[in-house]
Amino acid sequence: MKKDTFPLLEAQQSIHELIARRAPLLQTLDAIARWMGLLLPEAIVAFMRYDARDCTLSLYPSQHFSASYIDKLQRVPVDADVASFGSAAHDRCLVTTQDIALDPRWSHFRDAAMAEGFRACWSSPVLGPDGELLGTFGTYYRTPRVPDPKEQQSLLQASALISLALVRDSDDRSHRELSEWYRSLFVNHPEGVYEFDREGRFQRGNASLERITGHPEASLIGLHFNEFIDPDYHKLTRRGFDAACRGEAMTCETRGTHADGHAYDLEITNLPVTLDGEVVGVYGICRDVTERNRQTDALRLLSRGVDASPSGMLMVDALDPEMPIVFANPAFTTMTGYSRDEVIGRNCRFLQGPDTDSSAVDEIRAGLREQHDVAVTLLNYCRDGTPFWNRLVISPVFDDGGVCTHFIGIQQDITQQKAQETHIAYLATHDLLTGLPNRTAFASLLEEAFQRSYKNAERLAVMYLDLDGFKAINDGFGHHVGNQVLVSVAGRLETLLNADVVVARLVGDEFGILLANSGDRAQVIELADRILDSLAQPIDVNDQLIHLSVSIGIACNSLPLEQSHEVVQHADLALEQAKRQGRNTWQWYCGSRAESTRHSVILRHELHKALCEDQFEVHYQPVVDALSGRMRSVEALVRWRHPTRGMISPGEFIPLAEQTGQIVPLGRWVLHQACRDITELLASSGRVLAVAVNISSLQFCRDGFLEEVQRALDLSGLPPELLELEVTESVLLDGAEPVIKLMETLKAMGVRVALDDFGTGFSSLSYLRDLPTHKLKLDRSFVQKALLDRHTAAIVQGVITMAHHMDMIVVGEGVETREEHQDMVRRHCDLLQGYLFAKPMPLEDLRDLPDSLPAATT
């Protein structure tokens, strides 16, 4: 053997070793290339892999080729006239090109090869054991040449080695893929997967098995399957296992016992594992079918319900690209005129026609593509070509793995509803009686005009009309006559106004007129005068002449405004001014005149805000013994500490609260706060003082008042004998009997009631006789005038004397001077209250007051 053959044999042996120990393919190919370098020193070795999917060859990257050449030789078609390598692969034989510059087969690759310095190329196919094409092996040369028989033999040897390496790599990859498929199937299977030995003992299980059984895998290993099966199902489960041991695949349903003790239905499939014809174990799959079984009856019921549904229902196969219909209920066939056999297997697009809205179709397609709910209304067509409006709702149906398998469509024929939509839209924006735009439409048109006037610097005016005395017409002649009057008024207004002027019925007997780009003030006033004249003319209703007039408020956008509705508010304020001036007139909004009304509106809003934000405080004014000056009780008086305006006078907000009804929640808050404060005072200082709380007539006569008083006592812990409620004579306006009954109930609870501001309201001696009250409070006006007016003095003396004879205590309010104090003492008034002794003060200051309060120096 020649000496230089040893390196060749060693290289070839190295290649076989690499193949035997399954080295990476590129490492093996690199070894083959080095071996070929020993056999053919001038050759540049190239390997190309074959892709059977598109019948192409691709060059393996190598340091011997430029990046551009490697890129050029990717996905080259296999054909007889495609260079040496394409021809070799096509003809399955060695193909040599002596000179690339002259070979026509290289026409598409000649420039690239010449740029690499290649002039000759010999290519041999690499075939598998079964003759399948795996790739090509080739050598390039920098000078034209052809192979001699020895070189041809070397090429064939190299092809055989490459074939062996590729087959081994393919087998390894297939084995790894198969193993990974098996592992992935076992580990990731959504159902329980397990292995038994021949005795039925668990060998392993996946996570789904742990989830289904509730047992971790470690606690299952080595245990027999029947340990986890309901005893009544042992024999059945054993039969399924034995069948698998005999080589039969078996599926059955059994009942398992969960780790937490509950039973569940289990569907199992046992498969034999056979090696060399012998069953060596059992492979199984199981799933919890409890819910499925529970739903079986429900599904049957649902099926009957779907068939009976008046809505058309379809189901399509989402896994088929054509999305064919797989189900249609009877309502669908009735609605469309198609029979069930005519629609099954077809795409729903057959319902579309020339006037079907393409945007609705696009929305449906997007919903199907993105697998989310879709709700559209579109025009579809029946079998006979009749169009109908279809309100369609489509929803995806997902399986347990989260895969959308179907779409369900529910459709309703809303043709009639669609035909009514225009009418409904009209009704939503118009007054049914007069046919005029309603308040909603007026507001919308006003907003548009307001924005336009702001942009174009135009004058905009609004008239707010209210018919004078219309309620009397309704009450006297009936609503049918009132309605005819309203229709006549609307007709007269439309006759007076130009087409570009909007007139609307806002509510009841109120109308609005919008004059966009209204021109000067004189034109608006002239129109208002014409309206007054027109509506002053009698209206003939069933031969009955009805006379009425109208009050008009006018406002424009000449003042700075931020929102369109402010113009209406201003016109409304001007309307109120017109009414105060005797009606049957117009008034143009003037900010200064309306300031008081505006202030009330703002204050009402702030009053509501104050209740929510706890801006109120309770101050206490002592009530003292007229002779000794000793403090006997206190009166709780509410104060409002506004965050920006400071203290607001009760004379400003109390009347507004009474007018708006906000006095009820305010009075409730004062009652609770006073009870808490006096309880705290009693606990901290031991001072026993009764507290008098003013209660409005609205609050006193409201249902639930007694319960509210009891709740305040219960929550605070205040003894009821320390609570006194002060009411005015206004509580008697709706009758004395319920008031007397309420006072008697309070008295039984231990709560006393005093009559406040006596003599200033609805006074009645007979009511006073019957009222179960223990105290009268003389209004400050009587106390102050008794020194100056003998008639007032006689009334004061008479009230005090009368009260004493009725066993009542008398309190003189508003005592501010020593003379008033002495006068009240001289007249035997029992208790006094006023600035002479102490002003209303917070609870903290009340704590520091001495028990006796001598009259202050005036």
Side-chain angles (χ1 to χ4, degrees), residues 558-599:
S558 58
L559 296 174
L561 300 173
E562 294 183 359
Q563 296 180 336
S564 60
H565 66 81
E566 293 180 78
V567 186
V568 179
Q569 291 176 349
H570 291 173
D572 191 20
L573 293 173
L575 173 63
E576 293 300 320
Q577 186 69 20
K579 289 181 179 180
R580 285 194 293 270
Q581 293 193 359
R583 306 175 187 271
N584 194 27
T585 186
W586 58 264
Q587 280 294 316
W588 199 292
Y589 172 76
C590 178
S592 60
R593 294 179 186 175
E595 192 59 36
S596 175
T597 305
R598 178 197 293 272
H599 177 71

Side-chain angles (χ1 to χ4, degrees), residues 451-480:
Q451 297 298 336
R452 191 166 56 250
S453 68
Y454 179 80
K455 180 179 179 181
N456 301 330
E458 298 172 347
R459 177 188 286 271
L460 175 148
V462 168
M463 292 185 181
Y464 206 123
L465 285 66
D466 186 19
L467 301 183
D468 302 326
F470 181 74
K471 184 177 184 301
I473 296 172
N474 259 346
D475 294 343
F477 296 97
H479 288 283
H480 66 289

Side-chain angles (χ1 to χ4, degrees), residues 26-41:
L26 289 179
Q27 183 181 351
T28 304
L29 293 179
D30 189 55
I32 295 174
R34 290 195 302 272
W35 174 64
M36 287 301 297
L38 296 175
L39 289 174
L40 304 171

Side-chain angles (χ1 to χ4, degrees), residues 399-473:
D399 64 12
D400 293 339
V403 176
C404 177
T405 60
H406 297 82
F407 286 96
I408 186 167
I410 302 175
Q411 63 182 42
Q412 292 177 293
D413 185 346
I414 60 166
T415 305
Q416 262 189 325
Q417 299 174 37
K418 198 71 174 178
Q420 294 172 352
E421 281 184 0
T422 302
H423 183 59
I424 293 172
Y426 175 86
L427 296 179
T429 56
H430 286 75
D431 174 51
L432 296 182
L433 178 64
T434 63
L436 296 177
N438 60 15
R439 191 181 199 98
T440 301
F442 186 80
S444 177
L445 294 169
L446 173 61
E447 176 64 24
E448 293 175 8
F450 182 80
Q451 297 298 336
R452 191 166 56 250
S453 68
Y454 179 80
K455 180 179 179 181
N456 301 330
E458 298 172 347
R459 177 188 286 271
L460 175 148
V462 168
M463 292 185 181
Y464 206 123
L465 285 66
D466 186 19
L467 301 183
D468 302 326
F470 181 74
K471 184 177 184 301
I473 296 172

